[in-house]
C-alpha cells in the first residue's frame, strides 16, 4: 500500500511539473514567438545578414529604402542624408530600429500560421515623415550640428526629424580618418539619443510654475540692472532691463528677473513641475526609447536654484521629450505621443496601423492658454511674426551656455496655435550662438513646407 501511495505521489509531482512546464512554454510562446520567428539572420525574414525584406516609404508613398535585394536608398542624395538616422546605413553604425521592431508585421506573422507571407509580396513600412520636409530641414541646417523636428500634437505624427551632421550612405566619407570635428557624433540620432542644456527655453517651465503656484505673481515686479546678487554670487543678463513684470521678463528672457522668480517658487515646487510636465522623462515609440533628461536640485543653494530656473546648472533635456511638452501646451494641457511608423503591410494585408495615444494631462487648459498668449507675444514683439506668414507661431528662444569658452548652443521651441496646423517644433544648433537669430531662419522654411504638406499642396 505504501509503495502504491509513493508511486501516486511521484506521478502527481510529474504531472504538476509537466503541466507547469507546458504552461511556462505557452506563456513564453505567446510573448516571445514573434521574436523567435524573426531572429536576426533568419532566411525567411532577412535578405543577407541584417536587412528585413521590405520597402520603406514616406507619408506620400515616396520610396525611401528598398531592402528586398540589398539596401537600396532613394535616388536623391539630399533625401538619403535627411533620412539616414531613421533608415540606418549598410555598415550597421546607425540602427534602423523601426525595421527590426516591425519585422514580424512586415513578413506577416501570427501565432497560428507562423510566417504566412514568406516568399510572397514584400512588406511595406509607411513612415509619418515627409520626404520634402526632411529635405527642406536638411537644407536649412546646412553644415551645422544639431536637430530640427516638427510633429502634429493632435495625431502624434512626426512630419520631420533631421539630425546633422549626416552623410550619404551611397558615398560614405572617411569618418574614422577625419582629423577635424566635422563628423563628431555623426552616428547619433540627436533627436532621440542626445540631451542638451535647455537654456532659456526652460523659462517656459519656470513661468508655468510661477503662474500656477505663486500668489499675486502678475502684480509683482523685478529689477534688472544687468546683474542680480545672490549669496555672494551674481546672476547676469546681457543688458539692464530695468523694471519688469512676468510678461515682460518672459519676452525679454531676463535672467535676473527669473532668478528672483525662482526664489518665490522654491526648489521643491520647481522640481515637482518638472516631474509633472515630463520634460526629463524618456519617450518610447516604434522600438525607440529616447535619452532621459536631468533636473536635480538636491542640496542646491539659492544660486543653483536661480541658474536651474534659467535652464542652466545641471539641467538637461532631450529634444523629443521637450517637443512633446510643447505639444501639450499647444494642445491645451495634453498632447498626442509622437510616433514615426504609420502603417505596416505584409503583401496586401495591413498588419499594423498606428493609433493616436494621448499623454497624461500635464496642466489645465487655463494655464496652457496663458502660456500660449505669452509665447505668442514673444513671436509678435521679439522674433517677428512676419517670419511665419499665415501661421500663429508661439515660441521661446534659448541660448544655452556650455562653459569652457565654447560658443553657446542655440535653441528654439514652440508650436503653432492654429486648429488646421497643430504643429509643435524644436530646433537645436550646437555652438550656434544666439537662439532666435540662428534658429528662426532655419525653422521658417521648414514650417512653411509643413503647412504646404498639410494643405495637400
Amino acid at each position: 500500500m505504501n509503495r502504491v501511495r509513493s508511486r501516486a505521489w511521484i506521478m502527481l509531482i510529474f504531472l504538476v511539473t509537466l503541466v507547469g512546464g507546458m504552461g511556462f512554454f505557452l506563456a513564453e510562446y505567446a510573448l516571445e514567438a514573434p521574436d523567435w520567428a524573426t531572429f536576426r539572420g533568419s532566411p525567411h525574414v532577412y535578405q543577407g545578414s541584417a536587412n528585413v525584406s521590405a520597402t520603406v516609404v514616406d507619408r506620400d508613398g515616396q520610396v525611401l529604402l528598398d531592402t528586398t535585394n540589398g539596401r537600396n536608398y532613394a535616388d536623391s542624395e539630399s533625401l538619403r542624408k535627411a533620412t539616414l538616422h531613421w533608415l540606418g546605413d549598410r555598415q550597421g553604425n546607425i540602427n534602423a530600429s523601426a525595421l527590426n521592431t516591425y519585422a514580424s508585421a512586415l513578413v506577416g506573422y501570427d501565432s497560428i500560421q507562423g510566417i504566412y507571407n514568406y516568399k510572397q509580396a514584400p512588406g511595406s513600412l509607411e513612415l509619418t515623415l515627409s520626404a520634402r520636409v526632411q529635405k527642406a530641414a536638411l537644407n536649412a541646417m546646412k553644415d551645422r550640428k544639431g536637430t530640427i523636428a516638427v510633429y502634429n500634437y493632435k495625431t502624434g505624427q512626426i512630419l520631420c526629424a533631421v539630425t546633422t551632421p549626416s552623410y550619404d550612405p551611397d558615398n560614405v566619407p572617411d569618418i574614422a580618418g577625419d582629423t577635424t570635428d566635422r563628423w563628431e557624433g555623426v552616428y547619433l540620432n540627436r533627436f532621440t539619443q542626445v540631451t542638451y542644456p535647455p537654456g532659456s527655453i526652460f523659462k517656459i517651465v519656470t513661468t508655468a510654475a510661477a503662474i500656477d503656484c505663486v500668489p499675486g505673481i502678475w502684480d509683482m515686479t523685478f529689477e534688472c540692472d544687468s546683474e542680480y546678487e545672490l549669496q555672494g554670487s551674481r546672476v547676469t543678463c546681457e543688458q539692464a532691463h530695468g523694471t519688469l513684470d512676468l510678461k515682460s521678463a518672459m519676452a525679454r528672457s531676463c535672467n535676473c528677473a527669473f532668478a528672483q522668480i525662482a526664489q518665490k517658487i522654491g526648489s521643491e515646487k520647481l522640481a515637482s513641475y518638472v516631474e509633472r510636465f515630463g520634460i526629463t522623462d524618456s519617450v518610447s515609440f516604434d522600438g525607440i526609447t529616447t535619452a532621459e533628461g536631468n533636473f536635480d536640485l538636491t542640496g542646491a543653494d539659492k544660486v543653483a536654484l536661480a541658474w536651474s530656473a534659467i535652464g542652466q546648472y545641471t539641467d538637461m533635456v532631450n529634444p523629443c521629450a521637450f517637443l512633446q511638452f510643447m505639444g501639450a501646451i499647444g494642445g491645451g494641457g495634453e498632447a498626442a505621443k509622437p510616433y514615426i511608423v504609420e502603417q505596416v503591410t505584409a503583401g496586401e494585408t495591413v498588419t499594423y496601423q498606428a493609433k493616436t495615444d494621448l499623454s497624461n494631462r500635464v496642466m489645465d487648459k487655463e494655464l496652457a492658454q496663458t502660456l500660449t498668449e505669452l509665447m505668442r507675444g514673444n513671436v509678435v514683439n521679439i522674433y517677428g511674426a512676419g517670419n511665419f506668414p499665415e501661421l500663429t507661431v508661439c515660441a521661446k528662444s534659448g541660448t544655452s551656455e556650455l562653459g569652457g569658452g565654447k560658443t553657446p548652443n542655440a535653441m528654439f521651441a514652440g508650436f503653432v496655435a492654429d486648429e488646421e496646423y497643430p504643429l509643435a517644433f524644436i530646433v537645436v544648433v550646437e555652438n550656434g550662438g544666439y537662439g532666435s537669430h540662428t534658429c528662426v531662419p532655419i525653422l521658417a522654411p521648414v514650417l512653411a513646407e509643413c503647412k504646404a504638406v498639410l494643405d495637400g499642396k
Side-chain angles (χ1 to χ4, degrees):
M1 188 70 177
N2 289 336
R3 183 177 299 174
V4 172
R5 185 180 293 112
S6 296
R7 288 176 177 174
W9 276 109
I10 291 172
M11 288 299 297
L12 179 61
I13 293 170
F14 174 77
L15 287 172
V16 169
T17 302
L18 179 62
V19 171
M22 289 182 64
F24 177 78
F25 172 78
L26 290 173
E28 284 288 288
Y29 179 79
L31 294 172
E32 305 293 342
D35 292 334
W36 297 344
T38 58
F39 73 93
R40 218 114 163 99
S42 167
H44 308 297
V45 179
Y46 295 91
Q47 298 294 320
S49 62
N51 296 318
V52 180
S53 181
T55 302
V56 183
V57 300
D58 84 332
R59 65 189 293 118
D60 297 316
Q62 182 170 347
V63 176
L64 305 177
L65 176 67
D66 186 341
T67 64
T68 55
N69 184 23
R71 291 181 72 85
N72 297 296
Y73 295 88
D75 292 336
S76 165
E77 178 184 347
S78 62
L79 185 54
R80 293 195 297 268
K81 290 180 178 179
T83 55
L84 175 67
H85 290 89
W86 296 111
L87 303 179
D89 62 352
R90 293 186 178 87
Q91 292 72 36
N93 294 312
I94 299 173
N95 184 32
S97 300
L99 276 172
N100 297 326
T101 298
Y102 293 100
S104 60
L106 284 164
V107 298
Y109 170 87
D110 65 39
S111 57
I112 304 301
Q113 303 177 77
I115 299 175
Y116 58 80
N117 194 53
Y118 176 49
K119 288 189 176 180
Q120 298 181 30
S124 176
L125 188 146
E126 178 188 330
L127 301 183
T128 63
L129 298 176
S130 166
R132 58 191 282 191
V133 181
Q134 287 288 111
K135 290 193 290 185
L138 181 73
N139 182 61
M141 288 292 288
K142 293 185 171 58
D143 59 352
R144 305 176 179 97
K145 291 185 174 74
T147 185
I148 176 171
V150 182
Y151 99 118
N152 185 318
Y153 56 78
K154 288 187 177 180
T155 66
Q157 297 169 325
I158 300 174
L159 277 74
C160 161
V162 166
T163 284
T164 53
S166 186
Y167 59 86
D168 182 357
D170 283 349
N171 186 20
V172 181
D174 181 13
I175 296 172
D178 181 48
T179 58
T180 70
D181 65 349
R182 178 181 179 185
W183 303 111
E184 182 184 6
V186 70
Y187 298 135
L188 293 174
N189 185 326
R190 282 165 156 85
F191 175 61
T192 60
Q193 296 177 289
V194 176
T195 60
Y196 294 97
S200 290
I201 63 172
F202 188 88
K203 289 171 182 171
I204 302 169
V205 177
T206 306
T207 299
I211 294 170
D212 203 47
C213 77
V214 179
I217 187 64
W218 293 110
D219 299 321
M220 296 179 184
T221 57
F222 311 95
E223 299 298 325
C224 171
D225 61 0
S226 78
E227 60 182 37
Y228 174 63
E229 291 192 12
L230 191 63
Q231 291 184 323
S233 297
R234 294 184 302 169
V235 174
T236 59
C237 265
E238 291 183 346
Q239 64 184 79
H241 292 115
T243 302
L244 303 169
D245 59 10
L246 180 62
K247 182 178 180 180
S248 55
M250 175 70 153
R252 294 178 178 274
S253 198
C254 177
N255 288 347
C256 295
F258 273 90
Q260 296 167 64
I261 292 168
Q263 309 311 311
K264 298 184 181 300
I265 298 171
S267 296
E268 290 186 10
K269 280 286 188 179
L270 187 56
S272 72
Y273 281 94
V274 170
E275 182 177 1
R276 182 193 302 182
F277 297 156
I279 63 170
T280 59
D281 295 344
S282 61
V283 178
S284 296
F285 60 94
D286 301 320
I288 299 162
T289 298
T290 69
E292 290 186 356
N294 182 73
F295 184 86
D296 187 3
L297 288 175
T298 305
D301 59 14
K302 292 182 178 180
V303 179
L305 168 61
W307 281 114
S308 191
I310 294 165
Q312 298 288 164
Y313 191 48
T314 62
D315 300 1
M316 300 291 284
V317 298
N318 168 258
C320 183
F322 206 84
L323 178 69
Q324 183 173 304
F325 175 53
M326 292 297 94
I329 300 175
E334 61 182 358
K337 297 178 182 178
Y339 67 90
I340 198 169
V341 176
E342 185 63 45
Q343 181 177 276
V344 180
T345 59
E348 297 182 356
T349 303
V350 176
T351 52
Y352 171 80
Q353 181 66 57
K355 296 180 180 179
T356 296
D357 183 13
L358 290 178
S359 66
N360 296 328
R361 176 167 290 279
V362 299
M363 66 182 70
D364 60 40
K365 290 183 179 180
E366 184 179 357
L367 178 56
Q369 181 57 38
T370 301
L371 291 173
T372 296
E373 292 170 1
L374 291 174
M375 294 171 68
R376 179 58 181 166
N378 292 346
V379 175
V380 171
N381 300 314
I382 306 297
Y383 313 136
N387 290 305
F388 311 102
E390 301 181 37
L391 292 173
T392 308
V393 172
C394 309
K396 179 73 185 77
S397 67
T399 305
S400 54
E401 301 294 337
L402 304 175
K406 296 180 181 178
T407 303
N409 289 344
M411 316 284 283
F412 201 72
F415 54 91
V416 180
D418 295 324
E419 190 70 23
E420 62 271 40
Y421 309 114
L423 302 171
F425 55 82
I426 187 165
V427 184
V428 180
V429 179
E430 297 175 15
N431 310 120
Y434 190 70
S436 62
H437 177 77
T438 300
C439 296
V440 168
I442 295 173
L443 177 65
V446 176
L447 279 187
E449 202 67 47
C450 286
K451 179 181 181 298
V453 168
L454 295 184
D455 286 337
K457 295 180 180 179

